[in-house]
Amino acid sequence: MTGLLIRDLAEVATHHGGGAPLRGNALRELEVTERAYILVGDDGAIASVGSMRDLPPIGPDVAEIDGTSLSAIPGLVDCHTHPAFAGDRVHEFALRAGAATYEELLAAGGGILSTVRATRAAGAAGLAQALTRHVGWMLRAGTTTFEAKSGYGLDCETELMQLRAIRDAGGIPTWLGAHAVPPEHTDADAYVDFLVAEVLPEAAQLAVAADVFLERGAFDAKQARRYLVACRDAGLELRLHGDQFTESGAIPLAIELGARSVDHLEATGPDGVAALAASDVVGVLLPASALFLGRPMPPGQALVEAGAAVALATDFNPGSAFCESLPLVCSLAATQLRLAPEEALAACTVNAAHVLQRADRKGRLAPGYDADFVLVGAEDWRHLAYHLGAPVVHTVLRGGEVASGARA
Ligand code: NIG
Ligand code: FE
């Protein structure tokens, strides 16, 4: 490509500075430039961003997009998703609308385990096809960078198949071998032994991070520690699903092991909030999951006020959050978690990129950063969160190319 100019944007909104993660007041310090342009270089990175008044002379080969009536924000970064699954769980969704709970369905061999059966049966081609479909949904909702977890194979072959599929689909793979205990293993301890001995050596070559579901009915803190320590020793970053239903020791363990993040936190009380805020571990909030399961929301405002580094993610998966939309998650953050729109934006751009160790290239609109951005179909970028459930994403650009929406 020879460069691209987005001109006459109503506004460009981005967090400034180079630091990550953002905490406290810095979460709200958004730079908003009115009547602005973004210039992309021929390397797919941002060359400059500024006011139309300061637009440098542009060569004749540079393509242009008219940004009139649109606003621009950084491409959204989804740092917690489970899109590598086959089938769906619409049947269980209907049962939950009656009386069944998510935990009861899992205990009865449904839930995660029913998606494991479908994913094992799909084969590599079937899984790749399903993943491509899900990733397309995410892109259309404005997600330009995504992490994705395994955890629906729970055997060596299918876990590795998921990690390869995620890598091939352009995702950042997290190995979630310790998601549930599959039926062929008698107990969680024996399953952790199997994971560490049989799957970890190859999973560590494919994944960036490891994750565990530390929860009543899944893995306890002792099992989680054993799994995570082995993963850390194999060079993986650590993530935890913690405090989703019960406080079962995820925050202390995450801090002790220097985890990158602890995710969910719907059940986190004041001590957990204070401990997390005093640490380097990012609290990843997943309000779509709380909404979808009819559970209490995580203490978003308390975490921000205490000075914690927070990120927002969809948790896209077939059981607890069949939702790929970060704009909807931003609406929930504003209305349910009491985060300001600026705080929500930081949480699914800069801070989410930090969770994925990409904050040097992703999550900001600044020279040298990858030219990943979303054109919001409104003059005020805050419509992203304000216009509840609406198709607010007008155009998505990734690496300076239109990936979804209007053509240049
Ligand atoms: O983050 N809670 C554990 N894992 C996922 C749900 C996976 C599923 O239900 O398929 C979550 O909510
Ligand atoms: Fe999850």
Side-chain angles (χ1 to χ4, degrees):
M1 71 183 277
T2 50
L4 174 68
L5 172 69
I6 324 294
R7 58 180 307 135
D8 294 310
L9 287 156
E11 59 186 26
V12 171
T14 182
H15 285 80
H16 48 130
L22 301 174
R23 304 169 184 261
N25 290 339
L27 287 166
R28 282 190 298 277
E29 284 166 11
L30 190 72
E31 192 171 355
V32 179
T33 309
E34 291 178 358
R35 236 195 126 233
Y37 76 90
I38 302 173
L39 183 62
V40 180
D42 51 15
D43 56 353
I46 293 176
S48 60
V49 181
S51 161
M52 283 300 289
R53 280 192 311 268
D54 305 322
L55 182 66
I58 300 296
D61 299 344
V62 174
E64 290 192 7
I65 292 179
D66 179 9
T68 305
S69 304
L70 305 175
S71 52
I73 56 171
L76 303 175
V77 179
D78 201 339
C79 66
H80 181 139
T81 81
H82 308 246
F85 63 87
D88 61 42
R89 303 227 291 274
V90 66
H91 172 69
E92 289 184 3
F93 176 70
L95 291 176
R96 279 201 299 107
T101 70
Y102 180 82
E103 286 182 287
E104 283 163 4
L105 291 165
L106 176 59
I112 294 168
L113 295 174
S114 81
T115 300
V116 169
R117 288 189 286 277
T119 305
R120 287 180 179 179
L127 178 63
Q129 196 179 25
L131 180 56
T132 301
R133 185 159 169 251
H134 302 151
V135 169
W137 296 345
M138 291 159 69
L139 178 69
R140 282 192 286 284
T143 296
T144 52
T145 300
F146 68 98
E147 176 261 18
K149 302 173 196 297
S150 68
Y152 293 127
L154 312 185
D155 61 23
C156 189
E157 184 191 340
T158 320
E159 283 295 309
L160 299 176
M161 179 174 95
Q162 282 192 283
L163 293 174
R164 282 190 205 100
I166 292 163
R167 181 196 60 194
D168 294 348
I172 299 170
T174 296
W175 181 44
L176 179 54
H179 196 194
V181 180
E184 63 272 21
H185 286 274
T186 44
D187 65 30
D189 282 303
Y191 179 56
V192 170
D193 291 341
F194 158 79
L195 287 175
V196 169
E198 306 291 332
V199 192
L200 175 58
E202 279 194 75
Q205 305 305 310
L206 292 164
V208 171
D211 198 342
V212 57
F213 186 19
L214 200 183
E215 188 55 72
R216 171 177 78 192
F219 298 89
D220 65 23
K222 207 162 151 244
Q223 290 152 351
R225 176 187 280 105
R226 203 151 62 78
Y227 170 79
L228 292 173
V229 166
C231 291
R232 186 183 62 183
D233 291 348
L236 293 170
E237 294 289 323
L238 304 183
R239 315 273 309 264
L240 290 87
H241 280 68
D243 294 3
Q244 183 179 9
F245 300 104
T246 58
E247 282 191 293
S248 299
I251 290 178
L253 185 61
I255 295 170
E256 176 199 327
L257 298 181
R260 203 84 197 154
S261 74
V262 54
D263 307 35
H264 270 292
L265 308 176
E266 289 93 315
T268 301
D271 291 348
V273 168
L276 202 54
S279 79
D280 289 332
V281 180
V282 178
V284 179
L285 309 173
L286 310 167
S289 168
L291 179 80
F292 203 75
L293 294 184
R295 304 278 312 162
M297 288 286 160
Q301 188 184 34
L303 283 162
V304 168
E305 281 177 358
V310 295
L312 280 168
T314 60
D315 197 19
F316 174 67
N317 76 75
S320 71
F322 198 52
C323 170
E324 70 280 9
S325 171
L326 280 170
L328 183 67
V329 165
C330 287
S331 294
L332 294 174
T335 60
Q336 309 300 304
L337 309 185
R338 323 279 331 158
L339 264 60
E342 294 80 6
E343 293 169 334
L345 185 66
C348 61
T349 55
V350 177
N351 282 9
H354 169 77
V355 171
L356 303 179
Q357 299 176 287
R358 298 286 202 283
D360 56 334
R361 304 280 312 186
K362 308 282 185 190
R364 283 186 168 95
L365 295 176
Y369 279 72
D370 292 347
D372 298 349
F373 46 95
V374 171
L375 302 183
V376 177
E379 297 198 344
D380 185 322
W381 75 270
R382 293 173 299 181
H383 280 245
L384 183 79
Y386 168 54
H387 202 162
L388 182 67
V392 284
V393 171
H394 181 280
T395 302
V396 183
L397 290 102
R398 206 174 36 193
E401 310 263 2
V402 174
S404 167
R407 296 281 138 196

